[in-house]
Amino acid sequence: MIEAFGLTSNPRKELPLAVDDLSFEARAGHVTALLGLPGAGKTTALRLMLELQQGRGITHFKGRPLNRIPHPSREVGVLLGDVPGHPARTVRGHLRMLCAAAGVPVRRADEVLEVVGLVSLRDERLGTLSRGMDRRLGLACALLSDPHTLVLDDPAGGLSTREAQWLHGMLRAHSSQGGTVLLTTSDPKEAARNADRVVTLEQGRLVADQKADEFARTRLRPRVAVRSPHATRLAALLTKEARTAQRSVEVVREGGNRLSVYGSTCADVGETAFRHGILVHQLADETGDMGPGAGPATVDGPETAVAPQAPDQPSTADADREPETAPQLSVPAGTPRSEDAELHSSAEAEVPRADGETPAAADPRAKASRSAETRPPDALSLLPPPISVRPAPSPLRPLRYEIRRAAGIGTGFVTGAVVLVVSALAAVLLARIGHTPQARLLAAWPRELPLPPAALGAGLLGALAFGDEFRHPALAADRGTVPRRLGLLAAKLLVAAATALMLAFLTVGCDAEVLYLVYGRELAQVPADWISMSASWIGLVVGCAWAGVLAAGVFRSTTAGLAAVLAVPVLVVPLVQKALEGASVRAAAGFPLRLREVFLLQWPFGGERYLSGVARVIAQPVGGALTLSLTALLCAYLLTTLRSRV
């Protein structure tokens, strides 16, 4: 269950608090609705509960605050707004990436896709999904790790009636299995129909906390919807007859040829229209709303006529009646229902899915029960089968997640292709001009440029590793920010280094091949000191990739990551050169010999030579500047990580 105590948002300039001392609870096995007009503080309350916004108060999820839960995304499924994710990623790829992050089997992505009816759209891009399909995908993301609690902000907003009924059927199935569901809505009829308990907010304060049947009895009332070309005349006649009979009848003009008649029945309105020869196009019982928090009706210039109320005539009535035109859908047999179940409906049994199948036929639980032995058919649920999450040393499966993230979109492949083409053209042009050393020729690095194309490409890919996270925060649904975990940083550095190595070798190989094809074998020869050159080349490309990763992680921007890569040769290298060229009374002559003396043991395979080579690379101005930049960025990242944890 969810228990919220004293939720209060931070004060704003000359404005009332968005949420002011709000306390309520959402019980397990029930659907709880936060009801209020737009601006009443519903979304702010959810963000305070999920620690996405600063404020006061505390929220317990099954007796623990969110910061005490080791794996929040596994226990609390969240849907706030649209699905966060790169618009170029496929639906299935996005879910598989989240599976790797949560430590659940990859097959779970296909299971939830089948349940929410997105099997036929699994290869579609996130940016092409409609509103209804985006809501389905958001629910799939929330159900991915089989959480006990669902927190959803206006999940049915913008959906058609049939889509909204399907979604509420899924939420009802989750609560019937003992789960907790908390959602927000601005429609009182939706709250009364689909929730077990309704918590009403007005200007950030708690107005009422009621059961759904009590809410419907005190806050809703029946009405008769009338559509007639003579609506004005019919309204005057109904008001006149109500005054004559001393009955409390309220007639509201809803614009055009529509009327809403409160305190009467279809039979009375129909008889009045028949007696006076008035043509009626529609006559149906509906449920209207009243009081604070009720959603505004679509009214164009309301004209209200209220007859005086008789002392013995009640002003409100039981509101269990629904519009006659609305499709009535039922929960599958055997699904537990609460004592207020007359107000709830489930669309899963009758609503066709996007791929043309009915959910009952595509439910993996139904398939399993027909072939296995576990449960009778009447105990089936609309949800995917439960899973046992594999234990993980950290809240993320960082390496698998990062590999899926990097390979899920075409940005990296396009960047690599552009780098290879630009490097090949630059190498051909430099060879034609001449006066370029062989090492720079193979790397396509003109003296006029601060960095070669391969290093710039590696830096861009490294910056995207964190830049895409903050721009499309797929990992931020449960805590509101990209996690600054050292395991995630290590995974990104490892994948960025592997990508940079591949790009470095491919660049040199393509440049050598193009030079051989255009000018012959002379320009494609390997330099004599290729080992030290290769070490310097690999160190430069990998260092640029790491600088991009760390800078983007610190400044939360791809542009900042790429700027940090360019700042190394443009700003840091001149400063290092100026520092090394300054007056000095001592020099580092004989450093390799002293290094050998410090490490008395002989390293296998001549390891001290490689260590000495690394030291010589770092001692160069570019190597020293890059090492200095990486050290500063790493310290800044660790500082921000420790600060966020504190």
Side-chain angles (χ1 to χ4, degrees):
M1 64 182 299
I2 303 175
E3 298 171 298
F5 305 99
L7 297 178
T8 304
S9 61
N10 286 339
R12 302 172 295 177
K13 292 182 179 179
E14 300 179 357
L15 293 175
L17 295 175
V19 176
D20 188 4
D21 195 19
L22 175 63
S23 299
F24 67 94
E25 68 177 25
R27 299 177 182 176
H30 292 74
V31 178
T32 304
L34 279 180
L35 174 66
L37 290 171
K42 306 183 298 296
T43 302
T44 304
L46 295 189
R47 294 181 64 84
L48 288 171
M49 293 168 57
L50 298 169
E51 301 179 6
L52 308 182
Q53 183 172 326
Q54 292 184 350
R56 299 190 300 275
I58 189 172
T59 303
H60 286 168
F61 297 87
K62 293 185 69 175
R64 294 172 297 171
L66 197 65
N67 55 19
R68 297 290 185 182
I69 300 177
H71 311 291
S73 60
R74 298 180 185 175
E75 301 192 28
V76 182
V78 178
L79 176 58
L80 302 177
D82 296 335
V83 175
H86 199 289
R89 198 179 304 279
T90 64
V91 170
R92 188 167 182 260
H94 182 73
L95 289 177
R96 288 167 68 91
M97 183 181 69
L98 295 182
C99 284
V104 301
V106 178
R107 66 176 183 276
R108 181 69 174 178
D110 296 322
E111 291 176 355
V112 295
L113 281 178
E114 191 171 4
V115 168
V116 302
L118 289 179
V119 174
S120 62
L121 301 179
R122 60 185 176 184
D123 295 325
E124 293 292 324
R125 307 291 178 180
L126 297 187
T128 63
L129 295 180
S130 64
R131 175 67 175 175
M133 297 302 102
D134 184 85
R135 295 285 90 184
R136 288 176 180 252
L137 178 59
L139 185 59
C141 294
L143 294 173
L144 195 62
S145 56
D146 197 20
H148 62 76
T149 301
L150 293 179
V151 178
L152 309 104
D153 185 19
D154 195 16
L159 299 184
S160 65
T161 302
R162 189 169 290 269
E163 288 280 352
Q165 288 173 337
W166 171 87
L167 186 140
H168 286 297
M170 292 288 294
L171 301 181
R172 173 61 53 189
H174 182 81
S175 66
S176 68
Q177 291 189 340
T180 305
V181 178
L182 176 64
L183 58 90
T184 66
T185 181
S186 58
D187 186 357
K189 290 183 287 184
E190 179 186 353
R193 186 184 305 116
N194 300 294
D196 298 310
R197 195 165 194 87
V198 181
V199 179
T200 307
L201 303 183
E202 185 177 6
Q203 295 182 354
R205 290 181 172 270
L206 179 66
V207 175
D209 188 349
Q210 305 166 289
K211 290 184 177 180
D213 55 350
E214 181 184 356
F215 169 81
R217 185 169 56 253
T218 58
R219 291 284 309 282
L220 301 180
R221 57 178 176 170
R223 67 184 178 190
V224 179
V226 184
R227 190 183 298 272
S228 170
H230 309 288
T232 304
R233 182 184 170 203
L234 180 58
L237 291 172
L238 291 173
T239 304
K240 181 179 178 181
E241 290 185 359
R243 288 199 185 102
T244 303
Q246 292 294 309
R247 292 188 295 111
S248 176
V249 176
E250 180 182 0
V251 183
V252 180
R253 283 290 304 275
E254 305 248 355
N257 58 357
R258 296 176 55 207
L259 295 176
S260 291
V261 183
Y262 297 91
S264 186
T265 64
C266 283
D268 293 340
V269 175
E271 289 176 1
T272 300
F274 177 77
R275 285 197 307 268
H276 295 85
I278 297 178
L279 178 64
V280 175
H281 291 162
Q282 180 191 14
L283 192 62
D285 284 327
E286 288 186 355
T287 301
D289 50 77
M290 57 184 294
T298 305
V299 181
D300 297 330
E303 300 176 7
T304 305
V306 184
Q309 180 177 350
D312 57 347
Q313 182 69 26
S315 60
T316 60
D318 203 72
D320 289 340
R321 290 178 293 174
E322 294 295 324
E324 295 179 354
T325 56
Q328 299 297 321
L329 303 167
S330 59
V331 176
T335 303
R337 298 176 64 106
S338 65
E339 58 185 4
D340 313 323
E342 290 80 5
L343 292 171
H344 309 301
S345 61
S346 168
E348 180 69 17
E350 297 181 16
V351 179
R353 301 186 326 180
D355 55 359
E357 297 180 353
T358 59
D363 192 352
R365 289 193 177 188
K367 294 180 180 179
S369 63
R370 285 194 295 265
S371 59
E373 66 289 350
T374 52
R375 293 177 297 173
D378 57 348
L380 298 179
S381 167
L382 302 175
L383 300 176
I387 58 172
S388 57
V389 179
R390 293 172 295 188
S394 68
L396 291 175
R397 297 272 181 169
L399 189 57
R400 296 169 89 191
Y401 166 80
E402 182 60 21
I403 292 174
R404 292 191 184 279
R405 186 208 62 80
I409 56 177
T411 305
F413 303 103
V414 173
T415 302
V418 171
V419 166
L420 294 179
V421 172
V422 172
S423 296
L425 294 178
V428 172
L429 184 60
L430 289 175
R432 181 179 180 84
I433 297 175
H435 309 292
T436 302
Q438 183 69 10
R440 281 184 171 266
L441 193 61
L442 291 176
W445 188 359
R447 296 184 182 275
E448 294 77 16
L449 294 182
L451 288 173
L456 286 174
L460 175 60
L461 293 178
L464 288 172
F466 261 124
D468 277 348
E469 295 282 17
F470 289 104
R471 188 179 178 189
H472 311 289
L475 288 178
D478 58 342
R479 297 304 298 274
T481 183
V482 176
R484 291 182 173 275
R485 302 189 180 101
L486 296 183
L488 182 62
L489 174 64
K492 290 186 179 297
L493 291 177
L494 185 59
V495 173
T499 305
L501 284 173
M502 188 181 306
L503 194 59
F505 285 120
L506 287 177
T507 300
V508 173
C510 289
D511 292 348
E513 189 67 23
V514 170
L515 290 173
Y516 171 73
L517 290 175
V518 177
Y519 299 110
R521 188 175 300 277
E522 180 183 358
L523 293 179
Q525 291 180 354
V526 179
D529 53 346
W530 64 274
I531 295 181
S532 59
M533 290 293 182
S534 299
S536 300
W537 174 241
I538 292 173
L540 175 66
V541 178
V542 173
C544 288
W546 284 359
V549 172
L550 292 170
V554 171
F555 300 107
R556 305 186 177 190
S557 169
T558 303
T559 305
L562 190 57
V565 174
L566 291 172
V568 172
V570 175
L571 298 177
V572 184
V573 170
L575 293 177
V576 172
Q577 286 179 333
K578 190 170 291 187
L580 293 178
E581 292 172 357
S584 176
V585 297
R586 289 184 176 86
F591 174 74
L593 181 60
R594 291 192 297 273
L595 189 64
R596 236 181 251 110
E597 293 176 355
V598 171
F599 296 96
L600 299 177
L601 298 177
Q602 291 294 322
W603 289 38
F605 309 107
E608 68 277 1
R609 291 184 301 169
Y610 301 107
L611 185 61
S612 177
V614 171
R616 281 197 299 270
V617 170
I618 296 177
Q620 296 175 0
V622 176
L626 193 55
T627 304
L628 181 63
S629 301
L630 290 176
T631 304
L633 290 172
L634 182 59
C635 291
Y637 187 91
L638 294 176
L639 179 63
T640 54
T641 301
L642 295 175
R643 175 183 166 190
S644 63
R645 288 186 178 181
V646 171

